[in-house]
Amino acid sequence: MDDLDRRIVALLIRDGRATYAELGAEVNLSAPAVKRRVDRLLDEGVVRGFTAVVDPAAGGWRTEAFVEVYCSGAISPEALRHAWEGIAEVTNAWTITGQPDALIRVLATDVRHLEEVLERIRSAASIDHTETAIVLSTLVDRRVPASG
Amino acid sequence: MDDLDRRIVALLIRDGRATYAELGAEVNLSAPAVKRRVDRLLDEGVVRGFTAVVDPAAGGWRTEAFVEVYCSGAISPEALRHAWEGIAEVTNAWTITGQPDALIRVLATDVRHLEEVLERIRSAASIDHTETAIVLSTLVDRRVPASG
DNA sequence: GCTGAAACGTTCACAAT
DNA sequence: ATTGTGAACGTTTCAGC
């Protein structure tokens, strides 16, 4: 993971479909040399894969919310993961420090749908209660810290 | 945005570097037909672009936190966006309903670095106080609701 | 790491439906 | 309006250096 790797990764974050020739032109390397590095980065898990960045609203997901989850008793993170992975509308979930045990990001079509998802979240594990905050606007949207 | 578009988008979320021929084989379309659809989806903004999915830990980002921000007085979302966009470690920020005015996701190298980022966040706008929750584990990590 | 060459993918104009 | 075909061009992906 040298400086060349970091530059290639930064370029691939900006354009995940950039050709090896284009990447090579930016970092002064031949296309095969770039490919070998990208293959190695994929192998090492530095780059997990490539994906399309989709506008959720275009798919009808117009309501976004964060749900703080307070559990009752001891529940393993693995049990929570298993329960929430099966709920399609749960896009992200983390266990966290502080008063709530977990934080969930939910995408729903509307508030009515959100309420229905919250019921499924609560019934999927022995949960004490939840606190929901609806997203008003997205101010910053990156996956990793800004670089260049 | 018909069913064929949705299937192509789902395939591109799974593999953002899939060739048009591969996509076409899955949806029974020729490569040029798939390309025209993808070009249109990009044009319409349904697909915003393509990116590499990178492991933050591989880049040294081993500490993740969510920061609830309580503002003092009236601050425009635009002012908050401008202030936080300039902080590299702020990967995401949303204005939300409920007690806090905003929620921020931060990636830092360690807890010491996180504390330093929090200082920058607080001094970047007229903020009353913040409440930070450090991420213990990531249970679910998707961008959009699961589909297939 | 580079080069060369074959296989493969992309991207266009054009015809078909 | 959208698709498939064919051909030119660029890219990928080897092996050999």
Side-chain angles (χ1 to χ4, degrees):
Chain A
M1 186 65 179
D2 60 7
D3 195 60
L4 235 39
D5 285 338
R6 271 182 285 273
R7 284 170 64 196
I8 290 169
V9 168
L11 290 167
L12 282 172
I13 286 171
R14 212 182 304 176
D15 177 11
R17 279 183 86 90
T19 66
Y20 297 124
E22 284 165 354
L23 298 168
E26 293 273 353
V27 302
N28 294 319
L29 233 54
S30 67
V34 174
K35 184 194 188 294
R36 274 193 293 261
R37 279 172 180 265
V38 174
D39 285 348
R40 199 197 66 235
L41 290 166
L42 280 164
D43 218 59
E44 292 171 353
V46 174
V47 177
R48 293 231 185 90
F50 299 92
T51 190
V53 181
V54 173
D55 176 17
W61 309 106
R62 297 197 173 81
T63 302
E64 183 177 357
F66 283 91
V67 184
E68 293 181 328
V69 179
Y70 295 76
C71 293
S72 53
I75 302 177
S76 73
E78 196 43 46
L80 292 176
R81 193 187 64 80
H82 186 259
W84 295 337
E85 215 170 38
I87 302 175
E89 295 89 341
V90 172
T91 61
N92 301 82
W94 307 266
T95 54
I96 56 172
T97 64
Q99 295 263 24
D101 297 290
L103 181 67
I104 299 180
R105 176 176 174 257
V106 171
L107 279 182
T109 55
D110 50 32
V111 175
R112 184 190 195 78
H113 181 196
L114 173 62
E115 186 172 24
E116 187 256 304
V117 175
L118 285 171
E119 276 180 57
R120 269 186 280 149
I121 288 170
R122 284 187 219 117
S123 63
S126 63
I127 280 159
D128 189 78
H129 73 284
T130 60
E131 265 177 51
T132 301
I134 291 177
V135 170
L136 299 173
S137 68
T138 300
L139 305 178
V140 181
D141 188 14
R142 297 191 275 251
R143 300 274 306 204
V144 285
S147 67
Chain B
M1 187 65 181
D2 59 8
D3 195 61
L4 233 40
D5 285 337
R6 270 182 285 274
R7 285 169 63 194
I8 291 169
V9 168
L11 290 167
L12 282 172
I13 288 171
R14 214 181 305 177
D15 177 10
R17 279 182 87 90
T19 67
Y20 297 124
E22 284 166 353
L23 298 168
E26 293 273 352
V27 300
N28 294 319
L29 234 53
S30 67
V34 173
K35 184 195 186 295
R36 277 190 293 257
R37 280 172 179 266
V38 173
D39 285 347
R40 200 196 66 235
L41 290 166
L42 281 164
D43 218 59
E44 292 171 353
V46 174
V47 176
R48 292 230 186 92
F50 299 92
T51 191
V53 181
V54 173
D55 177 15
W61 309 107
R62 297 200 173 79
T63 303
E64 183 177 359
F66 283 91
V67 184
E68 293 181 328
V69 179
Y70 295 76
C71 293
S72 53
I75 303 176
S76 73
E78 196 43 47
L80 291 176
R81 193 187 63 80
H82 186 258
W84 294 337
E85 214 170 38
I87 301 174
E89 295 90 341
V90 172
T91 61
N92 302 80
W94 307 267
T95 55
I96 55 172
T97 63
Q99 296 262 26
D101 296 292
L103 181 66
I104 299 180
R105 175 175 174 258
V106 171
L107 279 182
T109 54
D110 50 33
V111 175
R112 184 188 194 81
H113 181 197
L114 174 61
E115 187 171 25
E116 186 256 305
V117 174
L118 286 172
E119 275 180 58
R120 269 186 281 150
I121 288 170
R122 283 189 284 250
S123 63
S126 62
I127 281 158
D128 189 79
H129 72 283
T130 60
E131 265 178 51
T132 301
I134 291 177
V135 170
L136 299 173
S137 68
T138 300
L139 305 177
V140 181
D141 188 13
R142 298 191 273 250
R143 301 273 305 202
V144 285
S147 66

